[in-house]
Amino acid sequence: MTHNTSRGNADWWRESVVYQIYVPSFADADGDGMGDLRGVTDRLGHVAELGADAVWLTPFYRSPWADGGYDVSDYRDVDPRHGTLDDFRELLDRAHALGLRVVVDIVPNHCSSEHPWFAEALASPPGSPARDRFVFRDGRGPDGGEPPSDWQSKFGGPAWTRVPDGQWYMHIFAAEQPDLNWENPEVLAEFESILRFWLDLGVDGFRVDVAHGMRKDLTPPLRDTRGSDSAPLNAPPEGHDHPFWDRDEVHDIHRAWRRVLDEYDPPRIAVAEAGVSEARLPLYTRPDELHQAFNFPYLRCPWNAAALRRVVDASLDGARSVGALPTWVLSNHDVVRHLSRYALPEGADTVAWLMSDGREPAADEELGRRRARAAALLTLALPGTTYLYQGEELGLPEVADLPREALRDPMWERTGRARKGRDGCRVPIPWERSGPSYGFGPGGSWLPQPEGWGEYSVEAQTGRPDSFLELYRAALKIRRSFTGDEGFAWLPSREGELAFRKGALECRVNLSGAPLPLPPSAEPLLASGECGGGPAGGVLPPDTAVWLESRPR
Ligand code: GLC
């Protein structure tokens, strides 16, 4: 199936559905248990049939895999575990033939400690140009044995590691991910060339990893943050003047990148991964900067009508203040899958929940399912672009009880095994009811799939009208006829209800805990659950959403 995403439409990204493919866990063509690009190519039909406009591929570049591929040792090649550059070219051709755009991840904040630049830095003396591509500093204390500042790694422990000659280098993430020094013109030039490499191959855009962390305040003496920084990966920094998060200087880099993207015809796009405050997020999508930024405030928002309404308003206002439209996202490869989050009591600590293997507090999976289905209709009705994470269209829950010896996230070891990390949302997805890895590939799977995983498979859900998959397929199809943020307006609603229209599409979500009446004679276009009713009008059950054709009342 192809649809109207002709490459001539330069504005395709404004209101689209982008499907995130976590490459290691999407499909494995060669049977080694690890997802690969040929696997993606073979399964792209699923994404097209779902009705998405684009895919975002997480890193598949050469990498020693200290952080699932977000530690890149060669930015211009494909890691052998995922295939070859030719496989990538084929993937691109197939995607474009299906009418799908391809957005690739770019990881500019840090590279791998096995990148040739870092090897050169280690082999060069303090103060050398090779070290200046990174952030090397002398330590504190009489013999320099203390880290240069108190900065903490996002994955636990200090953000500094000492090298044999006594200097320290900075890494916001794992020690195998040294931060690059973006004040160094060589770094800027190298990344511009990397962007062009992929653009010349034909990619349609980039997802910019850690777009808010690329510049640091390195004025001596380095400022301590006096915080543990154990906040979730994409939570905004505390305060407005953090030495390495959300610094104003990052925008100079984004502007330079935008100029490169605009040189192409049609212009290519970029989406920022920026864990910053609601107020600062719009700065990333000013007209001469990146096109979009992930809406993490929406992702983090609890299942609560007042809170959601506030975030939706803030997102719309913020985006409009810079002439943009917001993005909407509920899950990705870094967070507990939203179905499981919604199955837990509000405010539950998901770190502790994972450490209890999903036992404490107990998850009400049926409730999570209902809410996740309703959340899909809510999200897909909002004006702007929706990012879907592979498997959410299958209603996959978090795999909270992965055996400890199977865990691969560096967070697990770096926190002294106090945090299990993100593997539970990265379990390879099921395509078929049975088979060695439920159709993921002809072999096994790099993370164990739970028993019964096949019941979530594409095969098991296809053609079942009440399935998650068919709900998503129907929603994406209907959504196509209701684009444009013209006329987004909240409608009068009851306590605990969200009701709005976008053009002629009316969306109502019941978060009140009790059934609510639907407008009389309303004809649902689509509902996330059974809506009872009779001649007097329908009923919207709790944790259910409905789409109606809006008519003037
Ligand atoms: C981003 C990625 C995450 C990765 C981190 C470091 O937050 O989404 O998976 O671990 O950056 O690159």
Side-chain angles (χ1 to χ4, degrees):
M1 192 183 99
T2 57
H3 37 252
N4 181 24
T5 51
S6 99
R7 294 194 86 207
N9 173 14
D11 273 349
W12 66 271
W13 50 275
R14 277 190 192 278
E15 282 187 278
S16 55
V17 174
V18 184
Y19 183 95
Q20 179 190 353
I21 292 183
Y22 184 69
V23 175
S25 302
F26 189 66
D28 168 27
D30 65 7
D32 65 354
M34 171 59 62
D36 48 40
L37 298 181
R38 281 204 293 124
V40 174
T41 305
D42 293 347
R43 294 285 190 188
L44 276 178
H46 167 69
V47 185
E49 210 175 310
L50 185 64
D53 302 286
V55 291
W56 147 33
L57 302 172
T58 58
F60 47 80
Y61 314 109
R62 265 192 200 264
S63 163
W65 245 63
D67 180 23
Y70 281 94
D71 49 318
V72 180
S73 56
D74 183 348
Y75 287 87
R76 295 182 185 82
D77 201 5
V78 173
D79 193 277
R81 61 165 70 72
H82 300 306
T84 64
L85 260 184
D86 275 337
D87 293 343
F88 181 75
R89 290 192 184 93
E90 266 173 48
L91 186 161
L92 209 52
D93 286 349
R94 175 82 184 128
H96 288 159
L98 287 166
L100 293 167
R101 320 270 170 161
V102 177
V103 171
V104 296
D105 229 301
I106 179 110
V107 190
N109 177 69
H110 46 267
C111 60
S112 158
S113 52
E114 292 185 25
H115 189 285
W117 271 8
F118 197 68
E120 203 186 323
L122 289 184
S124 306
S128 59
R131 286 215 173 170
D132 188 55
R133 294 175 183 139
F134 297 91
V135 183
F136 277 88
R137 290 292 179 275
D138 293 330
R140 288 179 181 171
D143 61 348
E146 308 275 320
S149 71
D150 74 346
W151 302 352
Q152 295 293 299
S153 149
K154 245 5 226 178
F155 292 158
W160 296 97
T161 291
R162 202 170 193 194
V163 301
D165 65 29
Q167 274 211 313
W168 299 73
Y169 68 90
M170 189 212 165
H171 49 87
I172 303 187
F173 297 94
E176 296 85 355
Q177 294 166 295
D179 278 51
L180 288 158
N181 171 18
W182 276 88
E183 286 179 35
N184 183 328
E186 234 190 305
V187 173
L188 274 115
E190 173 64 0
F191 271 86
E192 202 173 303
S193 146
I194 294 165
L195 291 180
R196 288 184 196 283
F197 176 84
W198 294 99
L199 290 167
D200 292 342
L201 275 177
V203 305
D204 300 286
F206 297 97
R207 176 263 189 194
V208 184
D209 192 61
V210 197
H212 61 312
M214 294 155 74
R215 283 293 298 265
K216 284 93 191 167
D217 179 7
L218 298 173
T219 326
L222 298 180
R223 285 187 286 140
D224 281 346
T225 57
R226 293 177 216 293
S228 71
D229 211 359
S230 63
L233 209 55
N234 291 303
E238 278 168 34
H240 292 301
D241 188 20
H242 194 279
F244 53 93
W245 291 129
D246 192 26
R247 304 214 38 94
D248 287 337
E249 300 84 10
V250 297
H251 297 283
D252 298 336
I253 307 171
H254 302 161
R255 288 194 187 95
W257 284 24
R258 177 63 180 254
R259 289 193 291 272
V260 175
L261 298 169
D262 281 349
E263 280 173 27
Y264 286 77
D265 180 27
R268 311 298 155 85
I269 65 123
V271 51
E273 186 215 23
V276 303
S277 70
E278 240 167 46
R280 301 270 303 175
L281 196 61
L283 301 179
Y284 287 76
T285 58
R286 284 176 287 194
D288 59 345
E289 299 206 25
L290 305 183
H291 300 69
Q292 295 179 329
F294 292 135
N295 191 341
F296 293 123
Y298 182 72
L299 181 150
R300 274 191 301 274
C301 188
W303 186 247
N304 170 298
L308 281 164
R309 181 169 172 152
R310 204 202 54 74
V311 174
V312 168
D313 277 335
S315 309
L316 284 166
D317 291 347
R320 284 175 182 153
S321 73
V322 291
L325 282 174
T327 66
W328 310 99
V329 58
L330 292 170
S331 278
N332 62 34
H333 64 294
D334 292 328
V335 297
V336 169
R337 283 188 177 273
H338 63 271
L339 185 144
S340 297
R341 295 197 315 261
Y342 295 154
L344 294 172
E346 192 175 323
D349 173 356
T350 53
V351 171
W353 178 72
L354 286 175
M355 288 304 284
S356 77
D357 286 343
R359 276 191 278 271
E360 191 50 50
D364 181 343
E365 203 163 299
E366 191 39 47
L367 181 68
R369 273 179 70 79
R370 282 208 310 278
R371 290 179 171 176
R373 290 172 63 89
L377 293 200
L378 164 65
T379 306
L380 288 162
L382 292 167
T385 286
T386 299
Y387 280 82
L388 303 178
Y389 176 49
Q390 68 178 38
E392 75 167 82
E393 81 281 21
L394 304 176
L396 292 186
E398 181 82 2
V399 182
D401 59 354
L402 280 173
R404 280 156 166 71
E405 57 287 359
L407 299 178
R408 300 288 290 273
D409 188 336
M411 214 180 269
W412 171 238
E413 293 296 346
R414 281 197 64 92
T415 58
R417 307 191 169 183
R419 285 172 169 251
K420 280 172 86 180
R422 302 158 292 172
D423 292 309
C425 65
R426 299 175 173 182
V427 173
I429 63 172
W431 295 91
E432 290 156 20
R433 276 210 182 79
S434 54
S437 53
Y438 303 105
F440 167 62
S445 140
W446 69 283
L447 284 173
Q449 298 161 300
E451 226 173 283
W453 207 226
E455 282 319 299
Y456 294 103
S457 67
V458 175
E459 179 184 51
Q461 298 197 36
T462 294
R464 242 182 48 209
D466 63 343
S467 71
F468 251 94
L469 179 57
E470 295 300 350
L471 177 74
Y472 269 76
R473 284 179 175 159
L476 264 65
K477 193 162 175 204
I478 295 173
R479 179 189 147 99
R480 283 191 181 277
S481 9
F482 297 98
T483 48
D485 79 325
E486 293 306 302
F488 174 91
W490 294 105
L491 299 169
S493 58
R494 273 69 48 111
E495 172 113 26
E497 182 186 31
L498 290 173
F500 60 89
R501 67 178 175 76
K502 182 183 69 169
L505 178 67
E506 177 172 331
C507 177
R508 292 183 170 268
V509 195
N510 182 356
L511 301 94
S512 77
L516 289 171
L518 279 173
S521 76
E523 278 295 329
L525 293 165
L526 187 64
S528 67
E530 196 128 335
C531 296
V539 168
L540 188 62
D543 297 307
T544 306
V546 66
W547 283 359
L548 308 161
E549 181 105 45
S550 178
R551 53 195 85 171
R553 291 203 184 87

